[in-house]
Amino acid sequence: NEDVRWAAAGALASVAHVDRVQQALIEKLDDSYKGVRGGAAWALASVAHVDRVQQALIQKLDDTGTNVRRVAAEALRSVAHVDRVQQALIQKLDDPEALVRRDAAEALTSVAHVHRVQQALIQKLDDPEALVRKYAAEALRSVAPLDRVQNALIQKLGDTDVSVRRTAAWALASVAHVDQAQIIQKLDHPEEEVRWAAAWALASVISRSANTPLRIRLFATISPDAGLALRGGLPRTAPRSWMSVLQEMDSMPQPSPWRQDIAALAFGLAGTGKASYALGLAIILKSESIPLPVRDWLVQRGDLDPDQPALDPRAADTKRLASTWPNFYEDASQIGT
């Protein structure tokens, strides 16, 4: 019964280091049932560093079963630094099945610094399947500061698929010296999603930039669900600098409709100082609902009960903050709350 054989292979995964178990699992890589072959490959993942296992798994990258090839690629991920494994995984980036190409890209993430891997992943940014392009962009995140990688990712901000655009933006947001000029051009793109991706990609330079109009423009472009990008990309900043930006946003003919959400995130990210927290909470209290990233931040600080039906901090929080921060109400009024 193939189901019994499959279950037996899985049950032996924890003892795959034992010689006789290892040998038996390697033999099952040639089982007549693809499910058993895949189960054996999965069970051998923990011992992929063993020479005979490595060789057997590399052979399974050409198995007739798509899932077997996928599991073999995943099993070899921990040894992607080995030359023969690396070369085999690069070849799988051209597998006829998109899911195998995706898994090969994911398996190569840890060795994206290797030139030949980099080149292969950059080529996959133009794969016909969005899923493969997305994982290629994700695999390149660790080497995004390199010019050739950065340029390729910037082009993907205009990809036809939203998941690819967001992944490219996420990768670029971690770059300290991103090519602002190229990305800023995409802020004028006719498609809203492309403009959003460009703004997100610039998240790491928003508060460091001396160009206040650019900061205002970025704030006005990013939507509330960019909270994760802001939380991951913005450095600690003095609360007063955020206040000046917000005041300038208020003077715009059409202030950003997401001003409160962004301000709350900004002040929350600015540090643990009483001023930043008090001002951030003051803004939140004036909102009809709390954005999810802001709610998470409040829960982490212990100032919001995650099980509370109404997602609003209690008035007691405001009173307590006012008692510890003398200029609480005065500062809150300065930013229009």
Side-chain angles (χ1 to χ4, degrees):
N1 186 306
E2 59 266 20
D3 290 334
V4 176
R5 300 199 301 278
W6 171 81
L12 288 167
S14 63
V15 287
H17 60 281
V18 176
D19 186 75
R20 63 178 179 178
V21 174
Q22 203 172 101
Q23 187 56 48
L25 288 171
I26 289 175
E27 291 173 4
K28 285 294 104 182
L29 289 174
D30 294 321
D31 193 275
S32 58
Y33 179 54
K34 61 184 179 182
V36 177
R37 300 199 298 275
W42 176 81
L44 287 165
S46 64
V47 288
H49 59 281
V50 177
D51 184 73
R52 64 178 180 178
V53 174
Q54 217 172 88
Q55 290 181 356
L57 288 172
I58 288 174
Q59 290 178 1
K60 287 296 102 181
L61 288 174
D62 294 321
D63 194 275
T64 55
T66 299
N67 283 338
V68 179
R69 300 200 299 279
R70 292 184 63 193
V71 175
E74 176 59 29
L76 288 165
R77 182 174 184 171
S78 64
V79 288
H81 60 281
V82 177
D83 186 76
R84 64 181 177 184
V85 175
Q86 200 173 104
Q87 188 56 48
L89 288 171
I90 289 174
Q91 290 175 0
K92 285 295 101 182
L93 289 174
D94 293 321
D95 192 275
E97 291 292 335
L99 288 174
V100 178
R101 299 198 299 275
R102 181 201 72 173
D103 291 342
E106 189 174 23
L108 288 165
T109 300
S110 64
V111 288
H113 59 280
V114 178
H115 181 76
R116 65 177 179 181
V117 174
Q118 240 171 71
Q119 291 298 102
L121 289 172
I122 288 174
Q123 290 177 4
K124 287 295 103 181
L125 289 175
D126 293 321
D127 192 276
E129 292 293 333
L131 189 66
V132 180
R133 300 198 299 275
K134 174 182 181 294
Y135 274 81
E138 193 168 305
L140 287 165
R141 182 174 184 242
S142 64
V143 289
L146 296 177
D147 287 343
R148 63 173 174 268
V149 177
Q150 188 178 139
N151 290 334
L153 289 171
I154 289 174
Q155 296 308 310
K156 289 295 104 181
L157 292 177
D159 194 272
T160 56
D161 184 84
V162 63
S163 68
V164 178
R165 293 195 294 267
R166 293 192 176 198
T167 303
W170 174 63
L172 289 166
S174 64
V175 180
H177 303 289
V178 70
D179 187 342
Q180 294 183 41
Q182 281 198 71
I183 301 177
I184 289 172
Q185 290 178 359
K186 294 190 181 296
L187 290 174
D188 293 320
H189 197 278
E191 292 185 30
E192 181 182 0
E193 276 286 352
V194 175
R195 297 196 300 271
W196 180 92
W200 193 355
L202 287 167
S204 65
V205 297
I206 289 177
S207 61
R208 289 200 301 271
S209 174
N211 187 342
T212 300
L214 171 60
R215 286 191 287 175
I216 294 173
R217 188 178 180 190
L218 293 176
F219 279 141
T221 303
I222 298 177
S223 58
D225 64 352
L228 292 176
L230 285 169
R231 181 161 57 184
L234 291 176
R236 295 181 181 277
T237 310
R240 296 294 174 183
S241 66
W242 289 106
M243 285 180 63
S244 64
V245 172
L246 292 171
Q247 288 168 347
E248 292 194 48
M249 288 181 71
D250 278 341
S251 66
M252 295 172 67
Q254 294 181 327
S256 167
W258 305 297
R259 174 181 173 277
Q260 290 182 328
D261 295 351
I262 295 169
L265 282 168
F267 285 116
L269 288 163
T272 57
K274 294 173 183 177
S276 61
Y277 182 37
L279 291 169
L281 187 55
I283 295 170
I284 295 169
L285 286 168
K286 293 295 181 181
S287 303
E288 293 182 3
S289 62
I290 300 178
L292 184 59
V294 179
R295 186 194 70 176
D296 291 343
W297 165 60
L298 287 173
V299 170
Q300 289 173 7
R301 293 189 67 115
D303 289 297
L304 181 65
D305 183 353
D307 299 321
Q308 186 177 303
L311 297 180
D312 277 318
R314 297 301 188 188
D317 289 330
T318 309
K319 186 176 181 180
R320 176 174 57 79
L321 284 165
S323 69
T324 57
W325 181 250
N327 299 323
F328 177 83
Y329 295 107
E330 177 186 344
D331 289 340
S333 66
Q334 287 182 32
I335 52 175
T337 62

